[in-house]
Amino acid sequence: MSKHTNDEPGEREKAPAPSAPATNFIREIIDEDLKNGKNDGRVATRFPPEPNGYLHIGHAKSICLNFGIAADYNGACNLRFDDTNPVTEDVEYVESIKEDIRWLGFDWDDRMYFASDYFDQLYEWAIYLIKKGKAYVCDLSEEEIRQGRGDFYRDGEESPFRHRSVAENLDLFARMRAGEFPDGSKTLRAKIDMKSPNMNLRDPLMYRIKRATHHRTGDKWLIYPMYDYAHGESDAIEGITHSICTLEFEDHRPLYEWFVRELDLPRPPRQIEFARLNLTHTVMSKRLLLQLVQEKLVSGWDDPRMPTITGLRRRGYTPEALRAFCDQIGVAKADSTVEVELLEHAVRDDLNERAPRVMAVLHPLKVVIENYPADQTDAFEIPLHPEKPEMGLRKAPFGREVYIERDDFREVPPKKWFRLAPGMEVRLRGACIIKCTDVVKDQNGEVIELRCTWDPASRGGAPADGRKIKGTLHWVSAAHALDAEVRLYDRLFNKANPYETEEGQNFKANLNPNSLEVLTGCKVEPSLAGAPPERHFQFERLGYFCTDRKDSSPTKLVFNQTVSLRDSWAKIEKVEEPKAAPKQEAKPAAPPPAGFEPPGEPITIGDFAQADLRVAEVVAAATLPGSKKLIQLTLDLGPLGRRSVLAGIAEHVADPQTLVGKRLICVANLAPRKMKWGVSEGMILAAASQTAAGEHLALVEAPNGKPGERVQ
RNA sequence: UGGGGCGUGGGCAAGUGGUAAGCCACGGGUCUUUGGAACCCGCUACCGUAGGUUCGAAUCCUACCGCCCCAGCCA
């Protein structure tokens, strides 16, 4: 069944069954029914799509529920197309629906049915109801029926045709079928209760005349049954025990039961309703998805940005991920909207296990390794999965020129940056350590090339002297790289709730104009040569990608981004940015003297002069349990009182008690800083120096100063 | 205005009278040749509100509030 994915190296055949299958209120109802001996212990469900659109993730929830329950209760789940309205339905949809369900990993064996299979039976039963005096032919027009139905605060009025004789009804109904009346001129109605507070019971329509060619029955029928009349009976015919549907059908249930009861059908099924799935940043209505397709706002039902099963598949989602997601969201009756993050988590979780790792450079920046001979080549062997040696290795050729990601270089590195920058060392994954020695720019000042040197003693990426190399970059050998197109995707809608719009706008106003970015000229490692369509990979440090099932070929590689890797650097940068940005506006930094490049955000003498430096005597000092770096100091600042300061000096102070009594220098006018262990009300001065033995730190002391005294 | 449902931390969601699981998100840390993964910690929930029953209430009762669905010859 999972042949679509198990041909990939290292991918497992099937997601393991969840250890503890989540229970839900539907399973409880079934347990209860079983306990009461209902249905002879049989459990039968069905998935009943209407073939008028493609399946989406919401349907996946229903599919997993229905097929899942059947499997767990030793029952069966039928596939039944609810094809009672020929004007909107089409074979294209039945084919796509079958393919999607199969791809998801479910099997209906030989139990594929169509409501249209039951048209003859349904017709006979309609006659039975007429004879029973429970149905009548009504000549009212559509508008008249609407009027007669009344509304929430007005009872309906009985149709003047409600009391026709059985004989007349029989005759008229037969002639409706025979085509004696024009479309819409007559209907068959159930005779229930025009005063019912439940609108569904105010003599609902059972049949309407529609001269439309049905995708299965062709022109055999001119009258078609309504959903309400067809569904319960179809369930009963198939012996469905639990007919699971969504909440909006809740008040159809009395009608569902009315038909089954009036027809005296044995094996009456039980309808149970659950809340449909909503997802943030997308729409889940077939009507709106169709609109996106028809207005070419997306490339089709299988556009990788669509929440359709086929779209998710093309995006690189796996059946296993989708099933896991459906397990995690639960089943309940409360309206709910699940965050897409949970869906993304499900693919990451699955692909992390199975996707082979590979390197691809999306925005190439050339690096020339000056001390590497032009005519030399190396081939490093790198594991396909860092935690699964059984997945094997791939060869990554290496030469004097390589590409790295443009984003991995900063001429002026921000704080906490441990990628490449002038003078910085970095590891090329699985290859070696390089150091940036020079930056080549074009006339416009744009960086076009980096000059680096490599450390020949670091082959494979491990430094011979054991020095710590914090940053690791992905790379591709320029001489061996393959070109590829890469499609980056973002959420289809900017807003979590696309329906939330300004006055006069609709959901389309929230479409994300940047939801698709096509990158050409990307460089990928040569082991990707000949990758077949629909193959999943992790591009190291970037995310999960798959070869496009339509556009990629072994000679023209096209990758779709499934989901990015979690990016904690992006978070750090986001936090640092707002702190730095306003400062920059307020005080444009003076140009630094020639030859001096300040690392990070420059500050001015003015900034520094603002510091209120005071002599502070250490009254108490203690390590903080749980923190490797911090020591908590209580400082006496004389007239300024006492301060509690958290200082990051623990690694340099063997015993905090030795600090007690010392007079240090404290910055007294810093805004208090909230930290995990408390609030730090100042900062002490220290001098750090880098030596061969490591970092050395010396506290700046003022042994002769009085606590609180100002230091200039 | 009638009817049918639903309200548990930022999002899902367990819980079924005995003192609030789990997942995602978020924050922190350890480790790391992916700033990935893994692992550890935190997120300290007045269970929509107000009363009541009870030794004890998210669970039972009453009232109120809020949200969703229904007036297709769609499903």
Side-chain angles (χ1 to χ4, degrees):
Chain A
M1 186 85 272
S2 54
K3 66 174 170 14
H4 306 273
T5 49
N6 70 1
D7 53 352
E8 301 190 16
E11 296 201 70
R12 59 174 179 264
E13 301 239 329
K14 196 145 196 175
S19 45
T23 188
N24 57 54
F25 77 98
I26 297 179
R27 286 169 182 262
E28 279 171 19
I29 290 172
I30 295 174
D31 290 338
E32 189 65 20
D33 285 349
L34 254 22
K35 209 179 83 189
N36 295 333
K38 278 198 179 178
N39 309 309
D40 311 316
R42 217 167 35 85
V43 172
T45 59
R46 102 266 93 116
F47 173 63
E50 184 192 8
N52 68 344
Y54 280 63
L55 260 25
H56 54 61
I57 181 86
H59 293 109
K61 176 181 182 181
S62 174
I63 292 167
C64 291
L65 220 203
N66 279 294
F67 281 93
I69 283 175
D72 291 347
Y73 285 88
N74 225 317
C77 177
N78 296 351
L79 168 59
R80 180 172 72 237
F81 289 95
D82 226 328
D83 55 351
T84 55
N85 185 5
V87 313
T88 54
E89 295 155 8
D90 195 276
V91 272
E92 175 198 351
Y93 298 123
V94 347
E95 289 314 312
S96 74
I97 288 168
K98 285 158 64 180
E99 184 180 358
D100 288 346
I101 298 172
R102 252 188 247 117
W103 176 80
L104 252 189
F106 297 100
D107 197 346
W108 53 89
D109 296 315
D110 57 350
R111 299 178 315 280
M112 176 174 76
Y113 305 112
F114 292 81
S116 55
D117 292 343
Y118 313 132
F119 281 177
D120 284 302
Q121 176 66 263
L122 258 10
Y123 181 79
E124 292 307 318
W125 280 339
I127 289 172
Y128 175 80
L129 287 177
I130 291 172
K131 287 180 176 163
K132 211 177 159 187
K134 298 288 188 178
Y136 62 96
V137 172
C138 181
D139 296 0
L140 256 25
S141 69
E142 189 167 350
E143 180 55 28
E144 289 166 329
I145 289 180
R146 199 193 330 281
Q147 292 297 325
R149 188 152 37 215
D151 51 43
F152 297 154
Y153 29 80
R154 213 181 65 235
D155 286 346
E157 280 169 31
E158 295 191 350
S159 162
F161 306 99
R162 199 173 200 254
H163 299 292
R164 289 218 250 233
S165 69
V166 168
E168 188 183 4
N169 279 323
L170 252 16
D171 173 60
L172 258 15
F173 186 49
R175 289 161 63 193
M176 277 170 65
R177 177 185 184 174
E180 289 188 29
F181 310 114
D183 284 12
S185 62
K186 283 183 169 48
T187 55
L188 182 72
R189 294 230 252 169
K191 193 186 290 182
I192 307 182
D193 178 8
M194 291 308 289
K195 288 182 167 52
S196 172
N198 182 343
M199 302 293 291
N200 294 117
L201 264 18
R202 320 246 265 223
D203 288 11
L205 269 53
M206 291 167 60
Y207 273 92
R208 72 285 214 190
I209 306 173
K210 259 182 210 276
R211 262 159 258 258
T213 302
H214 188 276
H215 70 104
R216 296 206 98 221
T217 60
D219 296 322
K220 175 179 176 186
W221 294 91
L222 298 174
I223 56 173
Y224 291 95
M226 300 288 290
Y227 162 86
D228 284 309
Y229 178 59
H231 203 89
E233 288 85 307
S234 302
D235 284 339
I237 290 169
E238 293 175 20
I240 300 303
T241 56
H242 300 272
S243 181
I244 301 166
C245 63
T246 43
L247 251 28
E248 66 271 27
F249 291 102
E250 206 147 22
D251 44 19
H252 289 238
R253 192 170 63 225
L255 180 54
Y256 178 101
E257 288 168 348
W258 188 88
F259 283 123
V260 170
R261 192 182 341 112
E262 293 298 333
L263 257 8
D264 304 309
L265 300 180
R267 308 193 299 176
R270 199 226 273 222
Q271 176 180 302
I272 305 169
E273 311 84 12
F274 72 100
R276 65 185 327 142
L277 170 66
N278 294 294
L279 252 195
T280 57
H281 299 282
T282 194
V283 293
M284 207 76 94
S285 120
K286 275 199 268 184
R287 203 188 95 243
L288 298 185
L289 293 176
L290 176 64
Q291 194 180 343
L292 294 175
V293 172
Q294 285 179 337
E295 295 179 15
K296 303 241 188 293
L297 268 7
V298 294
S299 67
W301 286 100
D302 68 345
D303 187 301
R305 294 166 294 179
M306 292 281 271
T308 51
I309 292 179
T310 186
L312 290 164
R313 175 183 180 179
R314 194 165 175 200
R315 175 81 169 257
Y317 276 73
T318 58
E320 291 83 356
L322 260 25
R323 282 190 247 124
F325 171 73
C326 290
D327 278 348
Q328 286 165 27
I329 56 177
V331 179
K333 292 195 71 161
D335 292 317
S336 60
T337 302
V338 174
E339 295 172 330
V340 255
E341 285 83 352
L342 186 57
L343 217 208
E344 294 176 341
H345 164 79
V347 236
R348 284 200 190 99
D349 206 36
D350 184 37
L351 259 15
N352 174 49
E353 286 291 310
R354 318 151 61 188
R357 317 280 128 131
V358 103
M359 291 190 285
V361 176
L362 270 28
H363 299 97
L365 206 211
K366 186 185 277 185
V367 170
V368 178
I369 300 163
E370 296 189 301
N371 60 341
Y372 193 95
D375 54 357
Q376 191 179 320
T377 295
D378 266 287
F380 295 103
E381 297 210 311
I382 310 176
L384 282 162
H385 195 296
E387 274 113 40
K388 293 177 190 288
E390 67 275 17
M391 280 176 70
L393 307 161
R394 89 271 190 186
K395 274 201 173 65
F398 181 82
R400 180 180 162 87
E401 294 190 351
V402 301
Y403 292 113
I404 65 164
E405 207 67 61
R406 194 160 275 277
D407 283 356
D408 284 338
F409 174 78
R410 287 281 176 82
E411 207 171 356
V412 182
K415 268 184 230 168
K416 297 179 186 169
W417 176 264
F418 45 87
R419 277 122 96 151
L420 247 203
M424 277 183 80
E425 267 194 325
V426 96
R427 168 172 32 242
L428 294 182
R429 169 118 246 230
C432 61
I433 293 165
I434 59 167
K435 181 177 191 168
C436 178
T437 53
D438 208 359
V439 180
V440 182
K441 298 178 181 178
D442 63 11
Q443 314 87 299
N444 306 320
E446 200 185 323
V447 178
I448 52 169
E449 187 180 298
L450 261 28
R451 312 295 288 192
C452 294
T453 55
W454 78 308
D455 172 2
S458 65
R459 309 181 122 270
D465 58 4
R467 88 194 103 114
K468 283 267 178 277
I469 302 293
K470 199 79 157 105
T472 300
L473 308 187
H474 58 278
W475 56 276
V476 171
S477 164
H480 309 269
L482 264 31
D483 283 308
E485 176 179 321
V486 175
R487 298 166 183 172
L488 265 19
Y489 297 103
D490 199 353
R491 348 215 108 138
L492 227 202
F493 293 91
N494 284 320
K495 280 218 168 83
N497 173 9
Y499 303 111
E500 189 185 302
T501 56
E502 304 264 311
E503 187 72 28
Q505 292 185 322
N506 63 28
F507 77 110
K508 289 186 285 181
N510 288 323
L511 240 15
N512 175 6
N514 306 314
S515 58
L516 168 64
E517 188 183 354
V518 178
L519 266 26
T520 53
C522 302
K523 303 293 184 182
V524 303
E525 65 170 66
S527 75
L528 249 11
E534 217 172 2
R535 184 69 59 104
H536 304 273
F537 298 97
Q538 186 198 92
F539 288 177
E540 291 209 59
R541 302 210 308 131
L542 296 176
Y544 296 98
F545 292 77
C546 72
T547 39
D548 188 87
R549 49 189 294 239
K550 278 188 173 169
D551 302 334
S552 188
S553 71
T555 50
K556 196 222 175 213
L557 294 170
V558 178
F559 293 94
N560 294 334
Q561 178 195 46
T562 305
V563 66
S564 68
L565 246 32
R566 292 192 54 186
D567 185 353
S568 43
W569 164 247
K571 272 180 209 161
I572 295 171
E573 204 174 26
K574 221 176 191 173
V575 174
E576 301 287 326
E577 204 176 273
K579 278 195 233 158
K583 211 189 219 172
Q584 223 167 16
E585 269 175 58
K587 275 183 240 167
F596 173 76
E597 295 267 304
E601 177 70 20
I603 64 167
T604 64
I605 295 291
D607 292 331
F608 201 71
Q610 283 179 27
D612 180 16
L613 305 178
R614 305 275 181 156
V615 175
E617 183 173 316
V618 181
V619 214
T623 51
L624 282 162
S627 172
K628 266 196 164 179
K629 292 179 181 160
L630 294 180
I631 283 185
Q632 175 164 34
L633 300 173
T634 303
L635 303 177
D636 178 14
L637 272 69
L640 278 70
R642 290 194 168 187
R643 299 285 185 91
S644 171
V645 171
L646 302 173
I649 54 173
E651 285 161 323
H652 305 280
V653 178
D655 178 9
Q657 291 312 311
T658 59
L659 296 174
V660 176
K662 287 201 172 176
R663 292 191 177 168
L664 307 175
I665 296 180
C666 174
V667 183
N669 61 341
L670 270 186
R673 185 160 168 237
K674 221 177 133 194
M675 299 168 83
K676 185 178 171 183
W677 293 270
V679 177
S680 184
E681 303 166 323
M683 186 185 271
I684 53 169
L685 294 194
S689 60
Q690 193 79 37
T691 66
E695 197 183 29
H696 179 74
L697 188 120
L699 298 175
V700 179
E701 296 188 47
N704 302 320
K706 271 195 197 147
E709 195 176 81
R710 194 151 188 172
V711 181
Q712 293 301 330

